[in-house]
């Protein structure tokens, strides 16, 4: 081909929706893109509804493609600030769950667990539920009924969960599955800064000179964040990854510290030790902005690299390298996730990271700060408005009299009616086991897969006299319930979520719910009405709930007052605190050098490393650690039904080092003090020889969480998913992966639409012949 | 090389297969992905790299050259199209001819399917689906200048050597700077690949 023939003929410019075009497309169009007539295809008449991905805490912007009949049928990337068109495979396939054949479309009910679930009318299901709530509460007291919410719910709904529990059920027992997610980071941030969120926006990653990622497999769990990580690397930033596995991001890091799981605080104390030794601390910053530095420095002195290297199972030089890279960088940042948070000292691990950032003066500046990477879409927003056992809306403490009074005023109840703090999710399961909690409603969660120590969880749920579950698929947990309410998916209602940057984004309704399906808001309000609290729950839309939430958060640190639906649609997201409707929001915290403590200082905390709760012995010499895989989300209730994702990762595996003599695919039995399960071995040098990794998205008999320990961090009450003692053995065979509780029915792709009779491939250039919903 | 094309940067690929899923969403072959992901060094490393149609320029599209039915069209801007459904006889000659293993045959439909650089999108100024969603930028759509502006110092190559033959492609690959040898006509450098130094 000659050079000339490659230069396209000048051509009329085709108007395209600029929000759909990738950066720089003008140049292409001006040079004459060639839309031959036959490629014009606006026959679909589709509508693009701007919204966000329902899954992780990145909250990628996307358009849902809606056909003329008003049904979601596809996805189109969206040039949103957060993700700039990017999506991970979960995001690309998410739309398929909206009209999935497994969707529940009628309430299911049974009076005892011996019977099968059968379809009933809404009235029957609601009446039975209300009768059971009344019976249990009259017999055993209000606190014998519990409510467990979820962090995939919109913030409006999480606000309602908290209000419903305290005002309609009048129980102290309410908690949510975000308890399994980032509460350790939340606890640490509260202690140090008195504000519970990441300090910097993702875009600051692009400005940093040294990026430290601790305990986060960014490539698989937050894939879209990698563009920021690679962007930092392109600009010459040093990349440090702390992870027992060589993940895709660790593979390309300047320093990869493959430490032994459960030793993070020893490591970070030691890094601080070297930072101090080498004079890399910012003493002026510490003197002006922090308290507790003397004590923290003294503790760090007890962790010389030689000692920490032994605890962490790494070369001491690596500690020195990390300290120098982080300490000498003009601007350094640390992001962490479940890898350091899912521990019985999760809060403390996060505190050691904060200590390091503060000691080096890396707080509250562009390109310098700290952040936690939220696992669930609304892991951040999910606890801000009262769904957590100890929090009231606006992040107020339920133990604070002033806070209680403020909320009671908004809710129109007497302070004496507001229950005290309850217990955490795992503790509630223990209480169910002990029959202290006899009835339970679960909303948008699947503890049968997601909580540790499955046998305890099963026993707890089996011991309840009544269990209702809200979901749009029959999850493993819903299959155990007496009543299952079929509720809307994320594409069928409006609402907001707060992503890992604490940026509040708006999801827009793309289609009407299938017949028979109601919104979670409707179900909660209807239950409340039947329980006699209807006047407090007269909501007919998410917007009404949001407006009450805004008022309920006004004046707190978590101030949403200035955030309105209209502003969110205009701006693409606003980070809280945002106290007034002309306030731009707060993407970066502490720019004025002040934290949210009354003295405005960072409160540094002394941390002593202690070993994990499950001790090693001759029978259990190795470490089991768990995590996610890119194709699946949390308990897999949603992603284990989507064809492409199942094809990509059909089943779990156990990752083991070659030194154990397994061949790839051979059955390996992983044994802990709680049980044993068999997985195919994935033999790789990318893991420590003393560690085994299993992704946790599957139910028994291939459930990582049948093996994990239900030990909790004493402060955040997060379970210690990331480390327990185990051994591995050869096994005979691998148990089959159970099908999801309803017929397998995962979306089979339509046969290719190309047929011999089609004159041309059917095409529909996205963005042509489409209009955004106004 | 075309003005705007796909650049593949294996160093950034995290093996997430968003590209594979996104390719399935394309309206011209919905349900079938035209990309595959290769895992190099499995067991030793988590490295992966995506393969899309490389839109060979020289020799022009071996798949099109061998097609007995003249079903594979190469557009003026160098995009090697998927087979014309009215002409393709499903003989799989193209599958055998492609040095990169790209075209596929839908056995039921007796029809060839391959990546056509999302012509339905690129013609309107949109990036191909795979490069649009790729969360890491391992697949980048744009010009070499745009790529280099975003990633200072990045080096690309558009020539590949298979045994004795060299293939110059419309899609380019990001390569380590120290492997780049010298520029070739068209302003882009050639690199040693598949163990062979193409200078000799
Ligand atoms: S799962 Fe997370 S990274 Fe993937 S598309 Fe959704 S929000 Fe983005
Ligand atoms: S989407 Fe990008 S990062 Fe993911 S597998 Fe494809 S090329 Fe690699």
């Amino acid at each position: 081909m000659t050079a000339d023939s490659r230069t396209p003929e000048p051509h009329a410019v085709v108007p395209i929706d600029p929000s759909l075009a990738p950066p720089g497309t003008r140049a292409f169009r001006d040079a004459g893109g060639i839309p031959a007539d036959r490629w014009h295809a606006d026959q679909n008449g589709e509508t693009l509804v701007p919204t966000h991905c329902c899954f992780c805490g990145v909250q990628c912007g996307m358009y849902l493609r809606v056909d003329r009949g008003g049904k979601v049928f596809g996805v189109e990337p969206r040039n949103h600030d957060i993700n700039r068109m990017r999506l991970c495979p979960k995001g690309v396939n998410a739309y398929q769950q909206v009209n999935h054949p497994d969707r529940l479309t009628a309430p299911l009910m049974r009076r005892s667990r011996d019977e099968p679930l059968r379809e009933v009318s809404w009235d029957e299901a609601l009446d039975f539920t209300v009768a059971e709530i009344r019976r249990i509460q009259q017999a055993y007291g209000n606190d014998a009924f519990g409510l467990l919410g979820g962090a995939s719910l919109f913030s409006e709904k999480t606000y309602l969960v908290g209000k419903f529990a305290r005002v309609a059920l009048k129980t102290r027992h309410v908690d949510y599955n975000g308890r399994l997610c980032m509460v350790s980071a939340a606890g640490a941030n509260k202690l140090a800064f008195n504000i519970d969120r990441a300090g910097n926006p993702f875009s600051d990653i692009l400005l940093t000179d040294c990026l430290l990622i601790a305990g986060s497999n960014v490539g698989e769990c937050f894939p879209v964040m990698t563009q920021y990580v690679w962007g930092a690397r392109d600009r010459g930033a040093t990349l440090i990854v702390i992870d027992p596995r060589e993940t895709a991001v660790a593979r390309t890091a300047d320093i990869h510290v493959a430490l032994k799981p459960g030793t993070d605080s020893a490591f970070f104390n030691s890094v601080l030790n070297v930072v101090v030794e080498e004079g890399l601390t910012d003493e002026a910053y510490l003197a002006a902005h922090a308290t507790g530095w003397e004590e923290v420095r003294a503790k760090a002195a007890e962790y010389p690299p030689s000692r920490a290297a032994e605890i962490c199972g790494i070369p001491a030089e690596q500690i020195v390298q990390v300290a120098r890279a982080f300490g000498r960088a003009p601007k350094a940042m640390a992001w962490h996730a479940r890898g350091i948070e899912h521990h019985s000292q999760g809060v403390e691990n996060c505190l050691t990271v904060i200590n390091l950032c503060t000691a080096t003066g890396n707080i509250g500046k562009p390109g310098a700060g700290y952040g936690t990477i939220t696992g669930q879409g609304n892991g951040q927003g999910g606890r801000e408005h009262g769904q957590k056992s100890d929090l009231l809306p606006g992040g107020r403490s339920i133990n604070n009299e002033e806070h209680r009074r403020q909320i009671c005023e908004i809710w129109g109840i007497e302070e004496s009616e507001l229950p005290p703090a309850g217990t955490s999710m795992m503790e509630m399961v223990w209480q169910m086991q002990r029959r202290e909690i006899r009835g339970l409603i679960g909303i948008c969660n699947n503890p049968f897969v997601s909580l540790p120590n499955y046998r305890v969880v099963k026993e707890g749920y089996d011991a309840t006299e009544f269990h209702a579950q809200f979901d749009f698929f029959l999850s493993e947990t819903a299959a155990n319930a007496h009543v299952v309410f079929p509720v809307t998916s994320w594409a069928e209602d409006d609402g907001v979520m707060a992503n890992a940057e604490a940026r509040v984004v708006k999801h827009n309704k793309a289609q009407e719910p299938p017949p028979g399906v109601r919104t979670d808001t409707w179900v909660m309000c209807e239950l409340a009405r039947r329980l006699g609290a209807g006047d407090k729950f007269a909501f007919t839309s998410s917007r009404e709930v949001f407006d009450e939430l805004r008022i309920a958060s006004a004046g707190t640190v978590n101030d949403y007052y200035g955030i309105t639906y209209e502003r969110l649609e205009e701006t693409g997201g606003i980070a809280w605190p945002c106290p007034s409707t002309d306030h731009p929001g707060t993407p970066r915290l502490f720019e004025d050098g002040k934290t949210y403590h009354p003295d405005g200082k960072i409160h540094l905390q002394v941390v002593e490393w202690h070993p994990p709760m499950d001790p090693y012995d001759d029978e259990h010499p190795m470490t089991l650690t768990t995590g996610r895989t890119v194709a699946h989300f949390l308990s897999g209730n949603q992603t284990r039904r989507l064809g492409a994702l199942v094809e990509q990762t059909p089943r779990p595996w156990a990752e083991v080092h070659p030194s154990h003599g397994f061949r790839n695919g051979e059955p390996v039995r992983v044994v802990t003090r709680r049980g044993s399960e068999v997985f195919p071995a994935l033999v790789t040098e990318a893991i420590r020889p003393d560690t085994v990794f299993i992704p946790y998205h599957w139910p028994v008999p291939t459930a990582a969480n049948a093996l994990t320990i239900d030990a909790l961090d004493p402060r955040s009450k997060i379970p210690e998913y990331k480390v327990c003692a185990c051994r591995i053995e050869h096994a005979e065979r691998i148990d089959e992966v159970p099908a999801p509780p309803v017929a397998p029915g995962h979306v089979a792709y339509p046969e290719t639409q190309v047929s011999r009779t089609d004159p041309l491939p059917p095409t529909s250039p996205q963005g042509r012949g489409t209009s955004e919903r106004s | 090389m075309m003005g705007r094309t796909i650049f593949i940067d294996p160093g950034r690929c995290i093996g997430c297969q968003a590209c594979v899923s996104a390719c399935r969403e394309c309206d011209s072959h919905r349900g079938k992905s035209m990309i595959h992901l290769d895992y190099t060094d499995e067991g030793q490393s988590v490295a992966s790299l995506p393969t899309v149609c490389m839109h060979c320029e020289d020799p022009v599209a071996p798949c099109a050259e061998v097609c007995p039915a003249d079903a594979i069209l190469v557009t003026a801007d160098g995009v090697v199209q998927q087979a014309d459904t009215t002409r393709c006889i499903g003989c799989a000659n193209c599958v055998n001819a492609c040095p990169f293993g790209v075209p596929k045959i839908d056995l039921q439909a007796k029809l060839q399917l391959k990546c056509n650089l999302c012509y339905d999108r690129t013609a309107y100024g949109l990036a191909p689906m795979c490069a649009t969603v790729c969360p890491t930028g391992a697949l980048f759509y744009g010009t070499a200048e745009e790529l280099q502006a975003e990633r200072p110092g990045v080096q690309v190559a558009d020539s590949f050597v298979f045994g004795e033959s060299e293939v110059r492609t419309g899609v380019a690959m990001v390569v380590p700077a120290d492997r780049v040898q010298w520029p070739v006509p068209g302003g882009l450098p050639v690199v040693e690949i598949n163990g062979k130094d193409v200078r000799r």
Side-chain angles (χ1 to χ4, degrees):
Chain A
M1 188 183 288
T2 66
D4 286 342
S5 69
R6 272 183 259 135
T7 314
E9 294 283 298
H11 194 280
V13 172
V14 180
I16 60 165
D17 177 354
S19 66
L20 276 174
T25 48
R26 171 163 291 279
F28 173 64
R29 282 189 288 124
D30 290 349
I34 309 172
D37 272 352
R38 62 186 205 177
W39 297 96
H40 276 277
D42 48 7
Q43 67 269 35
N44 275 6
E46 69 189 73
T47 309
L48 296 180
V49 177
T51 190
H52 291 262
C53 175
C54 54
F55 293 125
C56 85
V58 179
Q59 285 297 289
C60 297
M62 59 165 63
Y63 291 101
L64 286 175
R65 299 173 67 189
V66 180
D67 68 15
R68 280 205 180 119
K71 284 234 179 301
V72 169
F73 77 99
V75 66
E76 177 63 32
R78 174 175 167 206
N79 199 4
H80 189 278
D81 247 20
I82 298 172
N83 58 315
R84 304 182 213 155
M85 300 284 219
R86 313 304 196 191
L87 292 173
C88 83
K90 294 187 288 290
V92 172
N93 291 290
Y95 79 88
Q96 291 169 20
Q97 46 177 327
V98 180
N99 294 307
H100 194 287
D102 281 1
R103 279 291 297 270
L104 300 174
T105 51
L108 304 177
M109 200 184 114
R110 60 180 159 201
R111 287 184 186 268
S112 101
R113 286 205 176 83
D114 313 330
E115 301 165 14
L117 283 163
R118 60 189 167 82
E119 292 193 358
V120 296
S121 70
W122 272 94
D123 264 331
E124 194 177 349
L126 290 162
D127 283 343
F128 180 56
T129 304
V130 169
E132 284 294 282
I133 294 171
R134 288 231 168 90
R135 180 182 67 77
I136 288 171
Q137 291 194 323
Q138 271 160 19
Y140 312 106
N142 286 351
D143 292 342
F145 208 92
L147 189 62
L148 281 173
S152 303
L153 290 165
F154 294 145
S155 294
E156 291 84 349
K157 295 175 182 180
T158 67
Y159 171 82
L160 269 188
V161 169
K163 184 173 177 182
F164 178 75
R166 284 141 184 159
V167 177
L169 289 177
K170 301 184 169 52
T171 177
R172 65 195 290 185
H173 287 309
V174 54
D175 207 47
Y176 77 128
N177 66 4
R179 185 69 82 170
L180 320 175
C181 181
M182 55 178 288
V183 284
S184 286
N189 296 342
K190 278 289 265 190
L191 279 169
F193 307 106
N194 201 24
I195 183 168
D196 160 13
R197 55 158 276 197
N200 299 61
F202 290 148
S203 54
D204 268 6
I205 296 174
L206 294 172
L207 308 174
T208 192
D209 302 305
C210 177
L211 178 63
L212 185 149
I213 298 175
S216 177
N217 184 357
V218 180
E220 304 225 34
C221 306
F222 319 97
V224 168
M225 212 177 129
T226 47
Q227 62 174 321
Y228 293 99
V229 176
W230 292 164
R233 208 180 57 173
D234 288 339
R235 284 162 186 77
T238 310
L239 178 59
I240 306 171
V241 174
I242 319 291
D243 200 308
R245 299 163 72 211
E246 190 194 76
T247 60
V249 172
R251 178 174 75 85
T252 56
D254 297 283
I255 310 170
H256 170 211
V257 184
L259 47 57
K260 198 171 158 64
T263 61
D264 307 272
S265 59
F267 174 78
F268 282 107
N269 269 338
S270 186
V271 171
L272 189 58
N273 173 303
V274 179
V275 165
V276 172
E277 289 294 310
E278 307 225 334
L280 299 172
T281 54
D282 187 340
E283 294 296 334
Y285 183 84
L286 282 162
H289 298 291
T291 64
W293 171 232
E294 281 316 311
E295 295 80 0
V296 168
R297 184 190 0 224
K299 183 50 73 186
E302 296 172 22
Y303 288 85
S306 54
R307 178 180 172 213
E310 202 161 301
I311 297 174
C312 306
I314 51 166
E317 303 83 71
Q318 278 200 326
I319 299 175
V320 179
Q321 276 177 349
V322 172
R324 287 185 182 152
F326 198 88
R328 287 180 185 165
K331 290 171 281 154
M333 264 194 135
W335 286 80
H336 49 77
R338 308 304 85 72
I340 72 165
E341 296 162 17
H342 274 163
H343 288 280
S344 55
Q345 66 170 160
V347 175
E348 292 173 312
N349 287 342
C350 300
L351 285 168
T352 56
V353 176
I354 293 171
N355 289 350
L356 176 64
C357 291
T358 310
T360 50
N362 283 303
I363 294 285
K365 291 183 283 193
Y370 73 97
T372 178
I373 308 168
T374 331
Q376 294 195 67
N378 205 18
Q380 174 69 46
R383 68 174 172 281
E384 290 166 1
H385 301 292
Q387 193 183 200
K388 192 162 168 257
S389 62
D390 54 348
L391 291 184
L392 289 172
R396 293 177 177 88
S397 165
I398 200 161
N399 299 319
N400 179 312
E401 265 182 41
E402 174 65 13
H403 291 176
R404 291 171 64 87
R405 199 187 50 69
Q406 288 165 347
I407 287 302
C408 288
E409 208 165 284
I410 292 164
W411 284 352
I413 58 171
E414 291 300 316
E415 210 218 296
S416 55
E417 293 177 66
L418 186 66
T423 53
S424 74
M425 188 162 184
M426 192 67 219
E427 290 169 308
M428 277 172 69
V429 172
W430 294 336
Q431 284 172 296
M432 281 147 62
Q433 227 187 347
R434 296 195 300 262
R435 296 180 187 264
E436 291 163 22
I437 293 178
R438 304 247 181 178
L440 183 84
I441 297 179
I443 303 178
C444 181
N445 54 38
N446 189 13
F448 275 44
V449 180
S450 61
L451 274 176
N453 203 349
Y454 167 74
R455 274 159 201 89
V456 167
V457 178
K458 175 95 168 67
E459 258 179 61
Y461 274 79
D462 279 348
T464 54
E465 294 170 19
F466 176 79
H467 167 209
Q469 198 74 20
F470 291 31
D471 215 320
F472 56 84
F473 291 133
L474 191 71
S475 68
E476 286 73 16
T477 309
N480 168 278
H482 294 91
V483 174
V484 185
F485 292 112
V487 288
T488 41
S489 76
W490 99 108
E492 291 150 6
D493 203 359
D494 292 316
V496 305
M497 293 208 193
N499 81 344
E501 310 159 290
R503 182 206 297 250
V504 181
V505 295
K506 175 143 188 287
H507 290 240
N508 293 312
K509 179 171 169 175
Q511 74 166 38
E512 286 301 324
V517 170
R518 307 280 163 86
T519 65
D520 316 66
T521 307
W522 184 89
V523 186
M524 277 188 272
C525 292
E526 184 59 23
L527 283 173
R529 192 178 69 77
R530 290 168 189 242
L531 287 165
D535 56 323
K536 312 277 192 304
F537 291 85
F539 302 107
T540 57
S541 68
S542 296
R543 179 187 288 271
E544 288 169 19
V545 184
F546 188 67
D547 285 338
E548 185 175 304
L549 179 159
R550 286 173 54 216
I551 294 166
S553 74
T556 66
V557 173
N558 289 68
D559 202 330
Y560 272 49
Y561 185 73
I563 304 177
T564 62
Y565 275 8
E566 286 71 25
R567 289 191 72 197
L568 290 178
E569 273 155 21
E570 272 161 33
T571 56
I574 298 174
W576 62 264
C578 177
S580 63
T581 47
D582 55 2
H583 189 283
T586 317
R588 188 181 300 113
L589 297 177
F590 323 126
E591 288 194 281
D592 56 357
K594 291 206 169 34
T595 70
Y596 291 77
H597 282 299
D599 61 2
K601 300 257 170 100
I602 302 168
H603 293 190
L604 298 179
Q605 312 282 330
V606 173
V607 173
E608 179 86 86
W609 173 76
H610 60 74
M613 297 303 274
D614 205 23
Y616 301 103
D617 59 19
D618 289 348
E619 276 183 38
H620 307 95
M622 292 176 66
T623 307
L624 168 65
T625 191
T626 62
R628 285 159 62 168
T629 167
V630 70
H632 291 294
F633 188 65
L634 306 188
S635 77
N637 185 33
Q638 300 175 64
T639 52
R640 277 186 281 116
R641 296 169 202 269
L642 303 183
L645 301 178
V646 173
E647 207 173 276
Q648 188 173 337
T649 312
R651 58 171 307 138
W653 65 87
E655 219 163 291
V656 293
H657 192 266
S659 58
H660 300 290
F662 286 90
R663 280 190 323 242
N664 240 347
E666 256 186 321
V668 45
R669 180 184 301 283
V670 182
V671 187
T672 71
R673 295 191 175 89
R674 284 139 312 273
S676 79
E677 304 263 318
V678 181
F679 304 85
L682 191 152
V683 181
T684 174
E685 288 179 356
I687 191 163
R688 289 176 61 94
D690 59 5
T691 303
V692 186
F693 169 85
I694 305 172
Y696 73 88
H697 313 283
W698 289 265
V700 283
T702 52
N705 279 328
L707 309 174
T708 48
I709 184 171
D710 49 342
L712 306 181
D713 179 288
R715 279 190 275 208
S716 67
K717 306 290 166 76
I718 208 169
E720 188 155 59
Y721 292 107
K722 286 293 184 279
V723 47
C724 65
C726 77
R727 71 167 178 275
I728 54 175
E729 301 168 346
H730 286 271
E732 290 291 299
R733 51 179 281 278
I734 303 158
D735 288 318
E736 283 308 304
V737 178
V742 175
H746 67 247
V747 171
Y749 276 102
E751 273 300 299
T752 173
Q753 294 167 14
V754 183
S755 79
R756 304 296 305 178
T757 50
D758 280 345
L760 289 165
T763 55
S764 157
Q766 291 83 343
R768 294 279 306 158
T770 60
S771 62
E772 267 196 40
R773 205 186 58 153
S774 58
Chain B
M1 178 183 294
M2 285 169 285
R4 296 177 76 81
T5 186
I6 289 181
F7 293 86
I8 304 174
D9 185 348
R12 302 166 94 92
C13 180
I14 53 172
C16 71
Q17 300 207 29
C19 50
V20 177
S21 271
C23 188
R24 283 198 188 99
E25 292 302 318
C26 180
D27 282 326
S28 59
H29 48 82
R30 202 151 190 207
K32 286 208 165 34
S33 177
M34 300 298 126
I35 290 196
H36 55 257
L37 203 66
D38 290 312
Y39 297 91
T40 56
D41 289 341
E42 225 173 336
Q44 271 74 55
S45 159
V46 289
S48 53
L49 96 144
T51 302
V52 294
C53 172
M54 300 300 285
H55 299 283
C56 301
E57 293 195 336
D58 186 17
V60 165
C63 58
E65 277 188 353
V66 299
C67 175
D70 270 349
I72 302 175
L73 167 92
V74 183
T75 64
D77 49 352
V79 175
V80 182
Q81 296 286 0
Q82 152 185 322
D84 182 334
T85 51
T86 59
R87 287 174 166 246
C88 175
I89 54 171
C91 71
N93 257 3
C94 51
V95 175
N96 298 323
C98 172
F100 299 98
V102 169
K104 293 179 177 156
I105 297 290
D106 179 334
L107 286 175
Q108 260 179 340
K110 285 227 173 79
L111 210 61
Q112 179 249 36
L113 289 167
K114 70 174 274 299
C115 155
N116 59 6
L117 202 77
C118 275
Y119 204 62
D120 53 338
R121 298 173 64 83
T122 49
Y124 291 103
L126 301 175
M129 258 306 205
C130 57
T132 306
V133 303
C134 172
T136 65
L139 290 167
F140 177 94
Y141 180 75
T143 62
E145 293 72 37
E146 283 168 356
L147 178 81
Q148 275 151 348
E150 215 179 80
R151 304 177 194 171
V154 73
Q155 297 290 341
V156 296
D158 67 347
S159 296
F160 301 83
V161 172
F162 298 89
E164 295 302 308
S165 24
E166 183 188 327
V167 180
R168 199 158 56 82
T169 57
V171 164
M173 187 81 101
V174 171
V175 291
D178 57 353
R179 311 297 301 274
V180 177
Q181 308 301 330
W182 76 80
V184 290
L188 284 154
V190 152
V191 70
E192 170 195 10
I193 284 185
N194 292 343
K196 188 175 167 195
D197 187 337
V198 294
R199 283 172 300 183
R200 275 175 234 125

